[in-house]
Amino acid sequence: FDFPLLGAALADDEEEALLRAIDEGLNALVVEPLASRGAEWYQFRHALIRDAVYDSISPSRRARWHATIAKALEALLGDGAESRAAELAQHAASAGALLEPAMLAKYSCIAGERLLIVHAFSEALAHFERAWRARGGLALDAAAAATLVGLGRAQAATAARWNRQQGWLTLRRAIDYYMQVG
């Protein structure tokens, strides 16, 4: 986790409390600086500690924290938010109904596209499926068609060689849309 992001998510008067909490975590050997990412990045010393802390928080509070972090991350990064699309998608998914589904759909689709580029098809498929589900009953528009193209590509790439029909059907829905709008 990075301190500037947490600071952006907190009220101005809560930054000192956050600094004290990080100092306590460092002294107790629960967290450590993550030198490879910069001076203000930290990590839990062990995944079990991270998981125990996370699990000790109520689901309602976790969802609100994820929503706050997603909004702060998007605001902090501005136009560069796409560079951390997978992280934004994860926070938006964990926030659930506290954020607009469009945010989840947007960043899941961007993360899926980036994963397709590096041939991580299974991971891309998960992002595109989540983006499509987030769109729910929204109208078929250019963003939905782009999601369908990515989803179809990921489905075709991950399907068994003799069973790629679902991928082609998904792509066909996007092509139909593009043909309708010219």
Side-chain angles (χ1 to χ4, degrees):
F1 55 93
D2 72 270
F3 184 81
L5 173 59
L6 291 179
L10 297 173
D12 291 335
D13 60 338
E14 295 176 330
E15 189 172 293
E16 184 58 37
L18 176 60
L19 284 168
R20 277 195 307 275
I22 289 175
D23 288 341
E24 288 176 21
L26 289 166
N27 290 333
L29 301 176
V30 173
V31 296
E32 62 188 1
L34 187 58
S36 64
R37 297 289 297 266
E40 297 202 276
W41 279 81
Y42 300 90
Q43 69 180 359
F44 286 93
R45 290 181 68 88
H46 198 285
L48 292 175
I49 295 171
R50 180 199 63 220
D51 293 346
V53 170
Y54 188 78
D55 290 342
S56 71
I57 302 166
S58 72
S60 297
R61 185 175 301 275
R62 282 196 305 250
R64 279 162 180 69
W65 281 358
H66 282 290
T68 301
I69 293 292
K71 290 175 189 174
L73 185 57
E74 189 176 45
L76 192 64
L77 296 174
D79 292 338
E82 292 183 4
S83 66
R84 290 173 68 178
E87 186 178 351
L88 275 159
Q90 180 58 44
H91 285 299
S94 297
L98 297 175
L99 292 176
E100 291 294 320
M103 182 183 203
L104 174 58
K106 173 185 176 181
Y107 290 113
S108 291
C109 192
I110 293 168
E113 287 293 338
R114 289 173 178 258
L115 289 165
L116 283 178
I117 290 169
V118 297
H119 303 281
F121 301 117
S122 295
E123 293 87 352
L125 178 62
H127 279 284
F128 283 117
E129 287 174 339
R130 184 168 55 189
W132 186 248
R133 281 192 310 272
R135 293 199 55 79
L138 298 176
L140 188 59
D141 59 5
T147 301
L148 285 171
V149 169
L151 178 59
R153 290 173 58 204
Q155 287 171 333
T158 57
R161 184 173 165 193
W162 60 87
N163 190 20
R164 294 193 175 139
Q165 185 171 357
Q166 183 59 49
W168 304 129
L169 291 173
T170 302
L171 284 169
R172 177 60 192 244
R173 289 177 68 191
I175 291 168
D176 288 344
Y177 167 78
Y178 291 130
M179 289 176 68
Q180 285 176 0
V181 298

